[in-house]
PDB file of all heavy atoms in Angstrom:
ATOM      1  N   ASP A 562      -6.609   8.964  -3.007  1.00  0.00           N
ATOM      2  CA  ASP A 562      -7.110   8.273  -1.822  1.00  0.00           C
ATOM      3  C   ASP A 562      -8.543   7.781  -1.961  1.00  0.00           C
ATOM      4  O   ASP A 562      -9.052   7.107  -1.055  1.00  0.00           O
ATOM      5  CB  ASP A 562      -7.022   9.227  -0.609  1.00  0.00           C
ATOM      6  CG  ASP A 562      -5.582   9.562  -0.268  1.00  0.00           C
ATOM      7  OD1 ASP A 562      -4.688   8.818  -0.647  1.00  0.00           O
ATOM      8  OD2 ASP A 562      -5.356  10.599   0.405  1.00  0.00           O
ATOM      9  N   ASN A 563      -9.179   8.108  -3.086  1.00  0.00           N
ATOM     10  CA  ASN A 563     -10.574   7.681  -3.267  1.00  0.00           C
ATOM     11  C   ASN A 563     -10.716   6.896  -4.572  1.00  0.00           C
ATOM     12  O   ASN A 563     -11.731   6.957  -5.229  1.00  0.00           O
ATOM     13  CB  ASN A 563     -11.495   8.903  -3.288  1.00  0.00           C
ATOM     14  CG  ASN A 563     -12.959   8.527  -3.283  1.00  0.00           C
ATOM     15  OD1 ASN A 563     -13.407   7.674  -2.520  1.00  0.00           O
ATOM     16  ND2 ASN A 563     -13.734   9.167  -4.160  1.00  0.00           N
ATOM     17  N   SER A 564      -9.653   6.144  -4.941  1.00  0.00           N
ATOM     18  CA  SER A 564      -9.666   5.483  -6.232  1.00  0.00           C
ATOM     19  C   SER A 564      -9.121   4.080  -6.203  1.00  0.00           C
ATOM     20  O   SER A 564      -8.299   3.716  -5.365  1.00  0.00           O
ATOM     21  CB  SER A 564      -8.885   6.298  -7.257  1.00  0.00           C
ATOM     22  OG  SER A 564      -7.524   6.336  -6.950  1.00  0.00           O
ATOM     23  N   ILE A 565      -9.594   3.291  -7.153  1.00  0.00           N
ATOM     24  CA  ILE A 565      -9.134   1.958  -7.459  1.00  0.00           C
ATOM     25  C   ILE A 565      -8.812   1.980  -8.939  1.00  0.00           C
ATOM     26  O   ILE A 565      -9.684   2.277  -9.769  1.00  0.00           O
ATOM     27  CB  ILE A 565     -10.214   0.912  -7.147  1.00  0.00           C
ATOM     28  CG1 ILE A 565     -10.556   0.926  -5.659  1.00  0.00           C
ATOM     29  CG2 ILE A 565      -9.787  -0.463  -7.616  1.00  0.00           C
ATOM     30  CD1 ILE A 565     -11.915   0.286  -5.343  1.00  0.00           C
ATOM     31  N   THR A 566      -7.563   1.679  -9.314  1.00  0.00           N
ATOM     32  CA  THR A 566      -7.176   1.742 -10.715  1.00  0.00           C
ATOM     33  C   THR A 566      -6.863   0.367 -11.265  1.00  0.00           C
ATOM     34  O   THR A 566      -6.090  -0.388 -10.659  1.00  0.00           O
ATOM     35  CB  THR A 566      -5.943   2.658 -10.912  1.00  0.00           C
ATOM     36  OG1 THR A 566      -6.226   3.958 -10.392  1.00  0.00           O
ATOM     37  CG2 THR A 566      -5.577   2.766 -12.376  1.00  0.00           C
ATOM     38  N   CYS A 567      -7.461   0.057 -12.399  1.00  0.00           N
ATOM     39  CA  CYS A 567      -7.228  -1.234 -13.077  1.00  0.00           C
ATOM     40  C   CYS A 567      -6.163  -1.041 -14.177  1.00  0.00           C
ATOM     41  O   CYS A 567      -6.348  -0.196 -15.084  1.00  0.00           O
ATOM     42  CB  CYS A 567      -8.521  -1.747 -13.689  1.00  0.00           C
ATOM     43  SG  CYS A 567      -9.848  -2.046 -12.482  1.00  0.00           S
ATOM     44  N   LEU A 568      -5.091  -1.804 -14.086  1.00  0.00           N
ATOM     45  CA  LEU A 568      -3.978  -1.719 -15.016  1.00  0.00           C
ATOM     46  C   LEU A 568      -3.718  -3.083 -15.622  1.00  0.00           C
ATOM     47  O   LEU A 568      -3.968  -4.115 -14.968  1.00  0.00           O
ATOM     48  CB  LEU A 568      -2.702  -1.261 -14.295  1.00  0.00           C
ATOM     49  CG  LEU A 568      -2.797  -0.066 -13.354  1.00  0.00           C
ATOM     50  CD1 LEU A 568      -1.511   0.071 -12.531  1.00  0.00           C
ATOM     51  CD2 LEU A 568      -3.062   1.198 -14.139  1.00  0.00           C
ATOM     52  N   ALA A 569      -3.183  -3.135 -16.842  1.00  0.00           N
ATOM     53  CA  ALA A 569      -2.901  -4.426 -17.441  1.00  0.00           C
ATOM     54  C   ALA A 569      -1.994  -4.248 -18.670  1.00  0.00           C
ATOM     55  O   ALA A 569      -2.108  -3.206 -19.366  1.00  0.00           O
ATOM     56  CB  ALA A 569      -4.168  -5.163 -17.813  1.00  0.00           C
ATOM     57  N   PRO A 570      -1.195  -5.271 -19.020  1.00  0.00           N
ATOM     58  CA  PRO A 570      -0.480  -5.249 -20.297  1.00  0.00           C
ATOM     59  C   PRO A 570      -1.275  -5.863 -21.409  1.00  0.00           C
ATOM     60  O   PRO A 570      -0.793  -5.921 -22.550  1.00  0.00           O
ATOM     61  CB  PRO A 570       0.747  -6.115 -19.961  1.00  0.00           C
ATOM     62  CG  PRO A 570       0.214  -7.129 -19.003  1.00  0.00           C
ATOM     63  CD  PRO A 570      -0.828  -6.417 -18.173  1.00  0.00           C
ATOM     64  N   THR A 571      -2.475  -6.309 -21.145  1.00  0.00           N
ATOM     65  CA  THR A 571      -3.176  -7.177 -22.094  1.00  0.00           C
ATOM     66  C   THR A 571      -3.621  -6.483 -23.356  1.00  0.00           C
ATOM     67  O   THR A 571      -3.572  -7.074 -24.440  1.00  0.00           O
ATOM     68  CB  THR A 571      -4.388  -7.850 -21.402  1.00  0.00           C
ATOM     69  OG1 THR A 571      -5.131  -6.865 -20.680  1.00  0.00           O
ATOM     70  CG2 THR A 571      -3.904  -8.881 -20.405  1.00  0.00           C
ATOM     71  N   LYS A 572      -4.144  -5.242 -23.275  1.00  0.00           N
ATOM     72  CA  LYS A 572      -4.549  -4.552 -24.497  1.00  0.00           C
ATOM     73  C   LYS A 572      -3.340  -4.098 -25.312  1.00  0.00           C
ATOM     74  O   LYS A 572      -3.271  -4.311 -26.507  1.00  0.00           O
ATOM     75  CB  LYS A 572      -5.445  -3.363 -24.147  1.00  0.00           C
ATOM     76  CG  LYS A 572      -6.855  -3.723 -23.833  1.00  0.00           C
ATOM     77  CD  LYS A 572      -7.619  -4.185 -25.061  1.00  0.00           C
ATOM     78  CE  LYS A 572      -9.061  -4.586 -24.725  1.00  0.00           C
ATOM     79  NZ  LYS A 572      -9.159  -5.906 -24.070  1.00  0.00           N
ATOM     80  N   ALA A 573      -2.378  -3.475 -24.638  1.00  0.00           N
ATOM     81  CA  ALA A 573      -1.247  -2.913 -25.359  1.00  0.00           C
ATOM     82  C   ALA A 573      -0.365  -3.973 -26.016  1.00  0.00           C
ATOM     83  O   ALA A 573       0.229  -3.732 -27.072  1.00  0.00           O
ATOM     84  CB  ALA A 573      -0.401  -2.058 -24.418  1.00  0.00           C
ATOM     85  N   PHE A 574      -0.292  -5.159 -25.396  1.00  0.00           N
ATOM     86  CA  PHE A 574       0.593  -6.207 -25.921  1.00  0.00           C
ATOM     87  C   PHE A 574      -0.152  -7.415 -26.447  1.00  0.00           C
ATOM     88  O   PHE A 574       0.439  -8.445 -26.692  1.00  0.00           O
ATOM     89  CB  PHE A 574       1.583  -6.618 -24.806  1.00  0.00           C
ATOM     90  CG  PHE A 574       2.564  -5.530 -24.429  1.00  0.00           C
ATOM     91  CD1 PHE A 574       2.294  -4.688 -23.365  1.00  0.00           C
ATOM     92  CD2 PHE A 574       3.710  -5.316 -25.163  1.00  0.00           C
ATOM     93  CE1 PHE A 574       3.182  -3.668 -23.004  1.00  0.00           C
ATOM     94  CE2 PHE A 574       4.604  -4.307 -24.822  1.00  0.00           C
ATOM     95  CZ  PHE A 574       4.340  -3.481 -23.744  1.00  0.00           C
ATOM     96  N   ASN A 575      -1.454  -7.309 -26.605  1.00  0.00           N
ATOM     97  CA  ASN A 575      -2.305  -8.353 -27.172  1.00  0.00           C
ATOM     98  C   ASN A 575      -2.180  -9.663 -26.390  1.00  0.00           C
ATOM     99  O   ASN A 575      -1.892 -10.727 -26.946  1.00  0.00           O
ATOM    100  CB  ASN A 575      -1.962  -8.588 -28.655  1.00  0.00           C
ATOM    101  CG  ASN A 575      -3.153  -9.141 -29.396  1.00  0.00           C
ATOM    102  OD1 ASN A 575      -4.303  -8.920 -29.037  1.00  0.00           O
ATOM    103  ND2 ASN A 575      -2.896  -9.870 -30.474  1.00  0.00           N
ATOM    104  N   LEU A 576      -2.462  -9.575 -25.090  1.00  0.00           N
ATOM    105  CA  LEU A 576      -2.301 -10.718 -24.181  1.00  0.00           C
ATOM    106  C   LEU A 576      -3.609 -11.065 -23.451  1.00  0.00           C
ATOM    107  O   LEU A 576      -3.575 -11.639 -22.390  1.00  0.00           O
ATOM    108  CB  LEU A 576      -1.232 -10.405 -23.150  1.00  0.00           C
ATOM    109  CG  LEU A 576       0.198 -10.170 -23.642  1.00  0.00           C
ATOM    110  CD1 LEU A 576       1.083  -9.661 -22.508  1.00  0.00           C
ATOM    111  CD2 LEU A 576       0.769 -11.432 -24.237  1.00  0.00           C
ATOM    112  N   ALA A 577      -4.759 -10.698 -24.045  1.00  0.00           N
ATOM    113  CA  ALA A 577      -6.014 -10.872 -23.315  1.00  0.00           C
ATOM    114  C   ALA A 577      -6.224 -12.297 -22.822  1.00  0.00           C
ATOM    115  O   ALA A 577      -6.745 -12.514 -21.732  1.00  0.00           O
ATOM    116  CB  ALA A 577      -7.189 -10.440 -24.190  1.00  0.00           C
ATOM    117  N   GLY A 578      -5.837 -13.285 -23.615  1.00  0.00           N
ATOM    118  CA  GLY A 578      -6.038 -14.670 -23.206  1.00  0.00           C
ATOM    119  C   GLY A 578      -5.134 -15.152 -22.107  1.00  0.00           C
ATOM    120  O   GLY A 578      -5.369 -16.245 -21.540  1.00  0.00           O
ATOM    121  N   ILE A 579      -4.106 -14.370 -21.770  1.00  0.00           N
ATOM    122  CA  ILE A 579      -3.194 -14.748 -20.684  1.00  0.00           C
ATOM    123  C   ILE A 579      -3.818 -14.448 -19.326  1.00  0.00           C
ATOM    124  O   ILE A 579      -3.469 -15.052 -18.313  1.00  0.00           O
ATOM    125  CB  ILE A 579      -1.840 -14.016 -20.836  1.00  0.00           C
ATOM    126  CG1 ILE A 579      -1.167 -14.397 -22.155  1.00  0.00           C
ATOM    127  CG2 ILE A 579      -0.925 -14.305 -19.659  1.00  0.00           C
ATOM    128  CD1 ILE A 579      -0.677 -15.838 -22.194  1.00  0.00           C
ATOM    129  N   GLN A 580      -4.758 -13.544 -19.283  1.00  0.00           N
ATOM    130  CA  GLN A 580      -5.483 -13.195 -18.056  1.00  0.00           C
ATOM    131  C   GLN A 580      -4.528 -12.695 -16.956  1.00  0.00           C
ATOM    132  O   GLN A 580      -4.300 -13.391 -15.965  1.00  0.00           O
ATOM    133  CB  GLN A 580      -6.330 -14.360 -17.565  1.00  0.00           C
ATOM    134  CG  GLN A 580      -7.421 -14.753 -18.570  1.00  0.00           C
ATOM    135  CD  GLN A 580      -8.241 -15.931 -18.165  1.00  0.00           C
ATOM    136  OE1 GLN A 580      -7.741 -16.888 -17.603  1.00  0.00           O
ATOM    137  NE2 GLN A 580      -9.527 -15.853 -18.443  1.00  0.00           N
ATOM    138  N   THR A 581      -3.996 -11.520 -17.181  1.00  0.00           N
ATOM    139  CA  THR A 581      -3.061 -10.929 -16.222  1.00  0.00           C
ATOM    140  C   THR A 581      -3.323  -9.448 -16.095  1.00  0.00           C
ATOM    141  O   THR A 581      -3.414  -8.718 -17.093  1.00  0.00           O
ATOM    142  CB  THR A 581      -1.594 -11.193 -16.690  1.00  0.00           C
ATOM    143  OG1 THR A 581      -0.706 -10.646 -15.726  1.00  0.00           O
ATOM    144  CG2 THR A 581      -1.313 -10.631 -18.069  1.00  0.00           C
ATOM    145  N   SER A 582      -3.457  -8.965 -14.881  1.00  0.00           N
ATOM    146  CA  SER A 582      -3.690  -7.542 -14.649  1.00  0.00           C
ATOM    147  C   SER A 582      -3.237  -7.175 -13.233  1.00  0.00           C
ATOM    148  O   SER A 582      -2.867  -8.049 -12.441  1.00  0.00           O
ATOM    149  CB  SER A 582      -5.164  -7.167 -14.856  1.00  0.00           C
ATOM    150  OG  SER A 582      -5.953  -7.558 -13.767  1.00  0.00           O
ATOM    151  N   ALA A 583      -3.329  -5.879 -12.942  1.00  0.00           N
ATOM    152  CA  ALA A 583      -2.984  -5.377 -11.624  1.00  0.00           C
ATOM    153  C   ALA A 583      -4.050  -4.381 -11.181  1.00  0.00           C
ATOM    154  O   ALA A 583      -4.670  -3.721 -12.006  1.00  0.00           O
ATOM    155  CB  ALA A 583      -1.617  -4.720 -11.609  1.00  0.00           C
ATOM    156  N   VAL A 584      -4.213  -4.291  -9.865  1.00  0.00           N
ATOM    157  CA  VAL A 584      -5.111  -3.283  -9.282  1.00  0.00           C
ATOM    158  C   VAL A 584      -4.233  -2.387  -8.409  1.00  0.00           C
ATOM    159  O   VAL A 584      -3.480  -2.880  -7.573  1.00  0.00           O
ATOM    160  CB  VAL A 584      -6.227  -3.924  -8.452  1.00  0.00           C
ATOM    161  CG1 VAL A 584      -7.294  -2.859  -8.131  1.00  0.00           C
ATOM    162  CG2 VAL A 584      -6.852  -5.102  -9.165  1.00  0.00           C
ATOM    163  N   CYS A 585      -4.344  -1.078  -8.619  1.00  0.00           N
ATOM    164  CA  CYS A 585      -3.577  -0.125  -7.819  1.00  0.00           C
ATOM    165  C   CYS A 585      -4.527   0.579  -6.866  1.00  0.00           C
ATOM    166  O   CYS A 585      -5.439   1.286  -7.324  1.00  0.00           O
ATOM    167  CB  CYS A 585      -2.883   0.864  -8.764  1.00  0.00           C
ATOM    168  SG  CYS A 585      -1.998   2.192  -7.895  1.00  0.00           S
ATOM    169  N   VAL A 586      -4.325   0.392  -5.584  1.00  0.00           N
ATOM    170  CA  VAL A 586      -5.223   0.963  -4.568  1.00  0.00           C
ATOM    171  C   VAL A 586      -4.358   1.617  -3.480  1.00  0.00           C
ATOM    172  O   VAL A 586      -3.905   0.959  -2.546  1.00  0.00           O
ATOM    173  CB  VAL A 586      -6.143  -0.084  -3.941  1.00  0.00           C
ATOM    174  CG1 VAL A 586      -7.292   0.582  -3.199  1.00  0.00           C
ATOM    175  CG2 VAL A 586      -6.672  -1.070  -4.957  1.00  0.00           C
ATOM    176  N   PRO A 587      -4.114   2.929  -3.581  1.00  0.00           N
ATOM    177  CA  PRO A 587      -3.266   3.611  -2.596  1.00  0.00           C
ATOM    178  C   PRO A 587      -3.819   3.612  -1.180  1.00  0.00           C
ATOM    179  O   PRO A 587      -3.042   3.511  -0.211  1.00  0.00           O
ATOM    180  CB  PRO A 587      -3.156   5.018  -3.169  1.00  0.00           C
ATOM    181  CG  PRO A 587      -3.397   4.859  -4.634  1.00  0.00           C
ATOM    182  CD  PRO A 587      -4.432   3.780  -4.729  1.00  0.00           C
ATOM    183  N   ASP A 588      -5.110   3.787  -0.991  1.00  0.00           N
ATOM    184  CA  ASP A 588      -5.709   3.874   0.351  1.00  0.00           C
ATOM    185  C   ASP A 588      -5.747   2.491   0.970  1.00  0.00           C
ATOM    186  O   ASP A 588      -6.298   1.510   0.393  1.00  0.00           O
ATOM    187  CB  ASP A 588      -7.100   4.446   0.259  1.00  0.00           C
ATOM    188  CG  ASP A 588      -7.740   4.588   1.623  1.00  0.00           C
ATOM    189  OD1 ASP A 588      -7.379   5.506   2.376  1.00  0.00           O
ATOM    190  OD2 ASP A 588      -8.597   3.723   1.947  1.00  0.00           O
ATOM    191  N   SER A 589      -5.227   2.356   2.184  1.00  0.00           N
ATOM    192  CA  SER A 589      -5.106   1.049   2.834  1.00  0.00           C
ATOM    193  C   SER A 589      -6.454   0.424   3.168  1.00  0.00           C
ATOM    194  O   SER A 589      -6.615  -0.806   3.049  1.00  0.00           O
ATOM    195  CB  SER A 589      -4.251   1.161   4.098  1.00  0.00           C
ATOM    196  OG  SER A 589      -4.848   2.080   5.015  1.00  0.00           O
ATOM    197  N   PHE A 590      -7.446   1.241   3.528  1.00  0.00           N
ATOM    198  CA  PHE A 590      -8.762   0.693   3.844  1.00  0.00           C
ATOM    199  C   PHE A 590      -9.439   0.131   2.569  1.00  0.00           C
ATOM    200  O   PHE A 590      -9.932  -0.984   2.581  1.00  0.00           O
ATOM    201  CB  PHE A 590      -9.643   1.798   4.462  1.00  0.00           C
ATOM    202  CG  PHE A 590     -11.059   1.348   4.734  1.00  0.00           C
ATOM    203  CD1 PHE A 590     -11.361   0.578   5.841  1.00  0.00           C
ATOM    204  CD2 PHE A 590     -12.091   1.696   3.869  1.00  0.00           C
ATOM    205  CE1 PHE A 590     -12.656   0.134   6.095  1.00  0.00           C
ATOM    206  CE2 PHE A 590     -13.387   1.252   4.109  1.00  0.00           C
ATOM    207  CZ  PHE A 590     -13.669   0.512   5.221  1.00  0.00           C
ATOM    208  N   LEU A 591      -9.424   0.923   1.516  1.00  0.00           N
ATOM    209  CA  LEU A 591      -9.965   0.434   0.248  1.00  0.00           C
ATOM    210  C   LEU A 591      -9.198  -0.785  -0.247  1.00  0.00           C
ATOM    211  O   LEU A 591      -9.797  -1.749  -0.748  1.00  0.00           O
ATOM    212  CB  LEU A 591      -9.908   1.532  -0.794  1.00  0.00           C
ATOM    213  CG  LEU A 591     -10.979   2.598  -0.810  1.00  0.00           C
ATOM    214  CD1 LEU A 591     -10.746   3.587  -1.956  1.00  0.00           C
ATOM    215  CD2 LEU A 591     -12.368   1.972  -0.963  1.00  0.00           C
ATOM    216  N   ARG A 592      -7.873  -0.742  -0.100  1.00  0.00           N
ATOM    217  CA  ARG A 592      -7.052  -1.863  -0.577  1.00  0.00           C
ATOM    218  C   ARG A 592      -7.409  -3.164   0.147  1.00  0.00           C
ATOM    219  O   ARG A 592      -7.477  -4.242  -0.475  1.00  0.00           O
ATOM    220  CB  ARG A 592      -5.592  -1.516  -0.391  1.00  0.00           C
ATOM    221  CG  ARG A 592      -4.653  -2.556  -1.043  1.00  0.00           C
ATOM    222  CD  ARG A 592      -3.230  -2.021  -1.163  1.00  0.00           C
ATOM    223  NE  ARG A 592      -2.618  -1.698   0.120  1.00  0.00           N
ATOM    224  CZ  ARG A 592      -2.352  -0.479   0.546  1.00  0.00           C
ATOM    225  NH1 ARG A 592      -2.693   0.576  -0.189  1.00  0.00           N
ATOM    226  NH2 ARG A 592      -1.772  -0.262   1.710  1.00  0.00           N
ATOM    227  N   HIS A 593      -7.655  -3.082   1.444  1.00  0.00           N
ATOM    228  CA  HIS A 593      -8.052  -4.279   2.172  1.00  0.00           C
ATOM    229  C   HIS A 593      -9.345  -4.841   1.626  1.00  0.00           C
ATOM    230  O   HIS A 593      -9.494  -6.065   1.418  1.00  0.00           O
ATOM    231  CB  HIS A 593      -8.214  -3.962   3.664  1.00  0.00           C
ATOM    232  CG  HIS A 593      -8.770  -5.097   4.444  1.00  0.00           C
ATOM    233  ND1 HIS A 593      -8.008  -6.181   4.839  1.00  0.00           N
ATOM    234  CD2 HIS A 593     -10.023  -5.328   4.931  1.00  0.00           C
ATOM    235  CE1 HIS A 593      -8.773  -7.044   5.502  1.00  0.00           C
ATOM    236  NE2 HIS A 593     -10.005  -6.547   5.583  1.00  0.00           N
ATOM    237  N   LYS A 594     -10.310  -3.963   1.349  1.00  0.00           N
ATOM    238  CA  LYS A 594     -11.605  -4.400   0.810  1.00  0.00           C
ATOM    239  C   LYS A 594     -11.445  -5.040  -0.554  1.00  0.00           C
ATOM    240  O   LYS A 594     -12.033  -6.097  -0.842  1.00  0.00           O
ATOM    241  CB  LYS A 594     -12.539  -3.200   0.709  1.00  0.00           C
ATOM    242  CG  LYS A 594     -12.999  -2.622   2.052  1.00  0.00           C
ATOM    243  CD  LYS A 594     -14.060  -3.506   2.669  1.00  0.00           C
ATOM    244  CE  LYS A 594     -14.700  -2.821   3.859  1.00  0.00           C
ATOM    245  NZ  LYS A 594     -15.748  -3.681   4.478  1.00  0.00           N
ATOM    246  N   VAL A 595     -10.654  -4.387  -1.414  1.00  0.00           N
ATOM    247  CA  VAL A 595     -10.463  -4.930  -2.748  1.00  0.00           C
ATOM    248  C   VAL A 595      -9.754  -6.264  -2.694  1.00  0.00           C
ATOM    249  O   VAL A 595     -10.114  -7.238  -3.390  1.00  0.00           O
ATOM    250  CB  VAL A 595      -9.652  -3.930  -3.608  1.00  0.00           C
ATOM    251  CG1 VAL A 595      -9.260  -4.541  -4.948  1.00  0.00           C
ATOM    252  CG2 VAL A 595     -10.438  -2.656  -3.836  1.00  0.00           C
TER     253      VAL A 595
END
């Protein structure tokens, strides 16, 4: 409830130039801000 997590396939699959990632924010208040 106090975290923002940055996830992506870019390092593991060598896709940095594709510019694709996800942000996981379980708390609704933080998620709105992000």
